[in-house]
Amino acid sequence: MSKNVLIMHFGSTLRVYSLMRHARSTRLLYAAPASFSHRASHTSSTSSHQTPQQLYPGHILTSPFQKALLTGISAFAAIRDPARDDMICAMGEASGSCALASIKKRMLANPDGQRILQERPIISKETVDLQYLSQLEEHTLGKAYFNFLNLNGFDPDSRRPVQFVDDPELAYIMLRYRQMHDITHTILDMKPNMLGEVAVKWYEAIQTGLPMCIAAAIGGPFRLGPKHRRIWSTQLFPWSIKNGFNSNFMLNLYVENHWETPIEELRARLGITTAPCNNVNSLNTKL
Amino acid sequence: MCRLSIPCASYSSDTKNINSSNIDHVAETDEYDKKRTHFGFQTVLEDEKVDKVYEVFKNVADKYDLMNDVMSAGIHRLWKDELIRHLAPHGGMKLLDMAGGTGDIAFRYLNYSNSTQSAGADYREVTVCDINEHMLKVGEQRAAQQGISRGINWLHANAECLPIEDNSYDAYTIAFGIRNCTHIEKVLSEAYRVLKPGGRFLCLEFSQVRNSLLRELYDQYSFQVIPVMGHVIAQDWHSYQYLVESIRKFPNQETFAQWILKAGFSEVTVTDMTLGAVALHSGFKLL
């Protein structure tokens, strides 16, 4: 039987593999032109591309290019839609490796920080007894934290796991920073509204040096309404900066040992001052 | 709109017994007598693959069309237009669009008009078939949005085991779906079975870029950029990592043409598009 082979490419030539069959025989009459080579189904041209290995559960290994791309695109997505907390997390993780390394150094230089890195406490509903916190006295850190979660409908389990940090210890530090965010709100006595978030972000940016905090801190004030902007620029901004520079490093606070500590005493120990005008954005005030 | 559901019964009156032992896909038997296959670059049990692929498409269904536009800069629309141009639908034609989930091929098929034909005389029918009902649901929503109700059916079924009589359709298309199937040879033999004599098989799928330098650039783009975009847009890194890996596990143009020949098709042709990144395979079931 004859076979015809024509060559065609998109818009110009066609490659035809023609089969002329005998009756119901399944014998195939085809010979590939010598120039074609079969690609084995096991190997690929990208044999250097293997599924990346995980360093911890949920870890996604990324190249420097991917980290840069992810930083840029997730920042853009977060600005467009601030409710995209997954983008804020991705941006923080992809851009945070230097800052996390320097946070680790600061923690290793402090006895509590060292203990935190060794024991790796997690703040979650499993590890923190919210029932117990609710029964503490009003002026304690534990009760203030419970009030913060309760009044705002927050959940200590809601913090996303870390994915893009390529070191398990630095990934833990990132998670600890994320889980400490609500504690920071409590200690600074800042509501989780835009004004309070900006104040906390400036504090965190100065304390941690994380690029995500810095970006959010710089961008945040632009989203404030005129009334909040006035309060921010005249009162909260200078207060936030001063506390960021002067207070103890927040991530060295082993908060799990301080639920019963009176919050004012803790603030004094940490070097945190009360926000101006009687806690203008306090949880307990109506603005 | 009509729906049938799996499990499939034996609709074939003359089941073609294709010997797949010489088809070169990964099917090793482990000590427990279970076959393994690839899921991207991972090795999984064959039974697991269909579930894993199902989860991928369940997760990406809502953002599937947007991601296609982003990943290919809209070029996927040209590929699909070319497929329909090759098919050249005419009045009275019955098409089975396999793995047709969100309806891109079906809508183009129904809207296709040749300038020599009058619109009124041109009734065509398409059955959109997909193993994943989430993808079908998106397709139905899009059909409703576009006001398409006539001539389209939705079928929830497995391409390897179609609940369809022999010799039922004039044409069978599968666009960017066949590489996700566990037993491609079964998909091809089912396609052969349900086509009428004289019927046409058309498969649009990612293939091998011909030029090795461009292939390397394309691979870099695929592995570096696409999972990042998947994470930002579809909030699913792993599904897009799987999708780019699965392209590398699929045979090249010539090898796949051989598989189509082995399934019994004749006059098998391959058309490269976008420098070989995508290939359109065509075959006929002879009279």
Side-chain angles (χ1 to χ4, degrees):
Chain A
M1 289 284 176
S2 64
K3 44 190 187 298
N4 302 311
V5 176
L6 309 169
I7 306 292
M8 181 169 91
H9 193 73
F10 181 50
S12 54
T13 49
L14 167 73
R15 198 170 286 111
V16 176
Y17 307 100
S18 169
L19 166 69
M20 304 298 285
R21 302 186 62 181
H22 299 283
R24 293 181 67 78
S25 161
T26 54
R27 197 154 60 93
L28 307 177
L29 299 172
Y30 164 72
S35 58
F36 294 143
S37 60
H38 287 256
R39 178 162 90 171
S41 53
H42 293 73
T43 64
S44 69
S45 62
T46 58
S47 53
S48 57
H49 294 276
Q50 303 297 324
T51 302
Q53 298 306 309
Q54 274 193 333
L55 293 172
Y56 50 85
H59 175 230
I60 298 175
L61 187 62
T62 43
S63 66
F65 175 81
Q66 284 179 314
K67 286 195 173 68
L69 185 66
L70 189 56
T71 301
I73 297 185
S74 58
F76 174 72
I79 290 167
R80 243 178 120 234
D81 182 5
R84 289 289 303 271
D85 65 309
D86 62 320
M87 290 291 97
I88 297 167
C89 289
M91 195 232 161
E93 291 164 27
S95 61
S97 50
C98 286
L100 288 170
S102 101
I103 290 170
K104 180 177 165 181
K105 274 195 200 140
R106 289 180 76 178
M107 289 178 82
L108 286 174
N110 176 282
D112 277 345
Q114 279 173 26
R115 247 194 309 278
I116 292 170
L117 287 178
Q118 269 164 15
E119 293 164 18
R120 297 201 186 176
I122 303 281
I123 300 175
S124 72
K125 282 210 289 258
E126 275 178 20
T127 56
V128 175
D129 186 350
L130 292 177
Q131 182 78 5
Y132 164 69
L133 295 188
S134 70
Q135 288 161 358
L136 291 171
E137 290 184 32
E138 278 303 322
H139 61 272
T140 55
L141 171 66
K143 181 69 183 202
Y145 177 58
F146 173 81
N147 288 340
F148 178 83
L149 293 176
N150 200 36
L151 274 170
N152 297 294
F154 290 166
D155 192 331
D157 286 346
S158 62
R159 296 294 160 189
R160 285 184 184 264
V162 176
Q163 292 181 287
F164 300 110
V165 177
D166 296 338
D167 176 279
E169 190 159 45
L170 297 184
Y172 168 73
I173 293 173
M174 191 70 185
L175 182 68
R176 182 72 178 173
Y177 151 74
R178 221 170 258 171
Q179 292 184 335
M180 284 291 289
H181 180 75
D182 288 341
I183 303 282
T184 310
H185 263 281
T186 306
I187 293 179
L188 295 178
D189 195 18
M190 284 287 119
K191 275 184 189 160
N193 56 11
M194 198 64 211
L195 183 59
E197 292 292 350
V198 171
V200 172
K201 271 288 166 293
W202 268 97
Y203 176 83
E204 286 177 342
I206 292 164
Q207 289 252 309
T208 65
L210 284 165
M212 180 269 291
C213 295
I214 295 171
I218 293 172
F222 292 103
R223 297 194 90 107
L224 293 173
K227 187 169 156 196
H228 279 188
R229 204 179 285 183
R230 208 169 35 250
I231 297 170
W232 166 249
S233 52
T234 56
Q235 296 169 42
L236 284 186
F237 180 46
W239 168 81
S240 193
I241 302 241
K242 199 166 133 212
N243 276 278
F245 281 115
N246 294 343
S247 68
N248 291 1
F249 189 42
M250 188 60 96
L251 287 176
N252 281 338
L253 175 66
Y254 206 139
V255 71
E256 288 85 344
N257 294 339
H258 288 282
W259 296 130
E260 289 133 17
T261 307
I263 198 164
E264 287 302 335
E265 186 189 311
L266 191 63
R267 283 177 185 142
R269 221 189 284 174
L270 292 170
I272 302 235
T273 61
T274 316
C277 287
N278 295 321
N279 302 7
V280 63
N281 201 37
S282 165
L283 264 181
N284 300 318
T285 58
K286 284 200 164 46
L287 204 61
Chain B
M1 171 173 54
C2 110
R3 271 211 199 202
L4 301 175
S5 57
I6 348 175
C8 88
S10 171
Y11 283 79
S12 168
S13 57
D14 178 19
T15 311
K16 213 165 190 43
N17 208 8
I18 301 290
N19 183 0
S20 62
S21 60
N22 57 348
I23 301 251
D24 192 18
H25 70 97
V26 182
E28 306 157 30
T29 308
D30 69 16
E31 57 186 289
Y32 298 105
D33 225 14
K34 286 194 178 152
K35 287 189 177 164
R36 285 176 285 150
T37 184
H38 50 80
F39 176 73
F41 289 163
Q42 295 173 46
T43 301
V44 299
L45 296 175
E46 280 194 349
D47 297 341
E48 289 176 331
K49 180 166 177 173
V50 70
D51 293 332
K52 287 173 107 72
V53 172
Y54 178 87
E55 281 304 309
V56 163
F57 284 95
K58 177 181 160 205
N59 293 340
V60 307
D62 287 339
K63 292 280 181 351
Y64 181 74
D65 299 302
L66 173 61
M67 276 301 293
N68 286 345
D69 273 333
V70 167
M71 290 189 291
S72 68
I75 297 172
H76 73 103
R77 296 163 186 247
L78 301 179
W79 298 328
K80 289 163 183 167
D81 288 343
E82 185 67 11
L83 166 64
I84 294 299
R85 205 182 59 76
H86 272 255
L87 181 58
H90 54 76
M93 191 189 239
K94 264 185 82 177
L95 170 68
L96 176 64
D97 180 34
M98 195 62 229
T102 60
D104 270 352
I105 300 299
F107 303 153
R108 281 172 169 78
Y109 170 79
L110 292 171
N111 290 331
Y112 177 84
S113 68
N114 187 316
S115 56
T116 62
Q117 291 172 313
S118 62
D122 198 15
Y123 178 74
R124 294 167 219 146
E125 196 187 300
V126 56
T127 300
V128 180
C129 184
D130 204 296
I131 198 172
N132 192 300
E133 69 273 20
H134 301 273
M135 296 287 279
L136 284 173
K137 191 164 151 224
V138 173
E140 285 173 314
Q141 287 166 351
R142 291 176 80 215
Q145 277 164 12
Q146 295 181 33
I148 295 173
S149 54
R150 206 166 145 257
I152 192 164
N153 301 312
W154 305 89
L155 174 62
H156 180 207
N158 185 338
E160 297 181 17
C161 180
L162 289 169
I164 294 172
E165 305 279 349
D166 294 6
N167 307 315
S168 303
Y169 285 93
D170 299 301
Y172 177 112
T173 51
I174 182 164
F176 304 111
I178 205 164
R179 77 179 188 283
N180 299 305
C181 299
T182 311
H183 302 104
I184 293 173
E185 71 282 6
K186 280 193 197 165
V187 175
L188 293 173
S189 73
E190 280 290 275
Y192 189 90
R193 181 179 69 74
V194 304
L195 278 170
K196 293 176 188 169
R200 190 171 190 185
F201 169 83
L202 280 162
C203 173
L204 193 62
E205 190 51 84
F206 290 106
S207 197
Q208 191 180 40
V209 172
R210 299 293 178 180
N211 177 282
S212 55
L213 173 63
L214 292 174
R215 187 160 64 237
E216 189 54 40
L217 287 173
Y218 168 59
D219 286 345
Q220 286 300 323
Y221 167 73
S222 294
F223 283 91
Q224 296 297 315
V225 178
I226 288 176
V228 174
M229 299 310 297
H231 186 70
V232 174
I233 293 174
Q235 293 165 293
D236 192 342
W237 180 289
H238 294 291
S239 291
Y240 285 90
Q241 182 76 31
Y242 158 72
L243 288 173
V244 300
E245 289 175 0
S246 64
I247 293 172
R248 276 80 199 160
K249 300 304 284 187
F250 191 71
N252 67 4
Q253 287 85 332
E254 290 73 38
T255 310
F256 188 52
Q258 291 279 11
W259 293 14
I260 295 171
L261 282 169
K262 283 178 185 169
F265 290 98
S266 315
E267 300 297 323
V268 176
T269 66
V270 183
T271 308
D272 275 354
M273 299 186 198
T274 314
L275 307 163
V278 170
L280 174 61
H281 284 78
S282 166
F284 287 89
K285 177 172 176 175
L286 281 193
L287 293 154

